[in-house]
Amino acid sequence: MAVKDVRPYFVPSSESVKPSSWSRLVEGEWEPLGEAVENWDYRSGLRLRCNIIADPVMIRANTRLDDGSPLAFHFGWRALDTYLVGPTTRVPLVDEQFDVEIEVDPQYAGATIALTRRLVLERDRLSPLAGEARHAGSILWNDEQPLRLTGSEAMFPTEVVDFAAFGIDEGASWHLRMPLSPDEPAMGALLLLINPLDKKLVKAVQKEKNHTDEQLVLIQEMEEGLVEEIVRWSLARWDELEGCDRESFGAAARSLALRVLIDPPAWTAESMLGSSMDLRSSIVAGARSIGFGRTVS
């Protein structure tokens, strides 16, 4: 049996506060927000919206706070891994229906956040009766929705930069910056650099939906290359990756290699060092089998 949240004061009935589901702004259109944001990286902000239907008269009657005590909804988010709390948007309890929008700063979001909605008493009450909320900050109603911003694989930021300024060959379309140590945290350990001269790839990467067939091919081919780089990186350090912390990039890279290749250690043997094309074929096939890159059918 589920544990019921019982507060030491009167709270509104479920009929008096009816929140909608959250929506996310994607390329100028509001779309339903699920449990995770796909293809998100640490340079992408989130703009979210919800609707609230409330009955101020019923709420005050239910809570016995019909003395004019200030009540307001507060909307915000908090990171579940870093415990950072984002700014809140305040809406006084006046209107019966309203929309509210919030922004999630990607620099502080972490891997998973909780979207919070609360109805709060905003001022201490000097002479409350038994069962009435008294202290400022008392939460009369609330709900939370967890939102995953990274999947089970390591996510990393993408930047469009001048390749010449970074000392990278300007004829390349992309370049993956790898961590120096396997023990670096998985979150943000990699940096994918995109060459602005490859305008088609830049446009494809920056678009979130409705990709053309050509754009999908460009992204899928880059995905295959990224998986290959990470797997080759892990094979070169295979013996030291097993002892890495599970939150490290080394652990994430090892996990990816185990999903892509049937027997990763076999590719670390000296006898296999000259089989670069065979290894590439196996990595590409394995990457495609778990949803990265193109399919041959």
Side-chain angles (χ1 to χ4, degrees), residues 13 41 75 97 189 291:
S13 63
D41 64 53
F75 302 84
Q97 183 170 346

Side-chain angles (χ1 to χ4, degrees), residues 3-211:
V3 177
K4 189 173 182 180
D5 182 13
V6 179
R7 295 184 172 92
Y9 43 76
F10 295 114
V11 297
S13 63
S14 58
E15 293 78 16
S16 62
V17 183
K18 297 180 180 178
S20 73
S21 299
W22 287 95
S23 299
R24 176 192 173 208
L25 187 64
V26 181
E27 295 186 3
E29 298 181 4
W30 291 101
E31 297 185 349
L33 183 67
E35 297 180 352
V37 176
E38 302 296 334
N39 302 318
W40 183 85
D41 64 53
Y42 296 95
R43 299 295 187 273
S44 302
L46 293 173
R47 188 174 178 183
L48 308 175
R49 181 178 73 179
C50 70
N51 176 266
I52 297 290
I53 298 176
D55 187 332
V57 175
M58 182 182 295
I59 289 173
R60 290 189 176 278
N62 292 159
T63 58
R64 313 294 198 269
L65 299 177
D66 50 7
D67 57 352
S69 296
L71 307 180
F73 286 97
H74 290 254
F75 302 84
W77 59 272
R78 59 188 176 86
L80 297 180
D81 46 2
T82 64
Y83 304 106
L84 294 176
V85 178
T88 60
T89 297
R90 175 183 178 273
V91 180
L93 179 64
V94 177
D95 299 326
E96 294 187 354
Q97 183 170 346
F98 60 89
D99 291 324
V100 64
E101 297 182 15
I102 64 173
E103 298 277 350
V104 177
D105 189 333
Q107 297 184 67
Y108 308 106
T112 306
I113 64 174
L115 304 176
T116 60
R117 300 185 283 200
R118 296 170 178 167
L119 177 61
V120 178
L121 172 64
E122 295 194 310
R123 188 176 64 202
D124 285 341
R125 301 176 68 239
L126 298 178
S127 302
L129 299 178
E132 298 177 354
R134 173 174 184 170
H135 299 292
S138 296
I139 299 173
L140 306 173
W141 170 91
N142 74 295
D143 78 352
E144 288 192 359
Q145 176 184 334
L147 179 64
R148 191 175 69 252
L149 300 180
T150 61
S152 57
E153 303 303 326
M155 302 293 285
F156 46 90
T158 301
E159 291 187 356
V160 179
V161 301
D162 182 353
F163 271 30
F166 277 74
I168 305 171
D169 194 316
E170 294 182 85
S173 294
W174 57 270
H175 181 88
L176 183 63
R177 284 290 176 91
M178 308 286 281
L180 296 176
S181 169
D183 295 318
E184 291 189 29
M187 187 172 64
L190 304 181
L191 176 62
L192 176 60
L193 305 178
I194 306 294
N195 190 345
L197 298 180
D198 191 338
K199 295 181 173 59
K200 290 184 177 180
L201 180 60
V202 171
K203 189 173 182 179
V205 170
Q206 293 180 338
K207 195 171 185 180
E208 293 192 59
K209 62 178 183 177
N210 299 326
H211 293 88

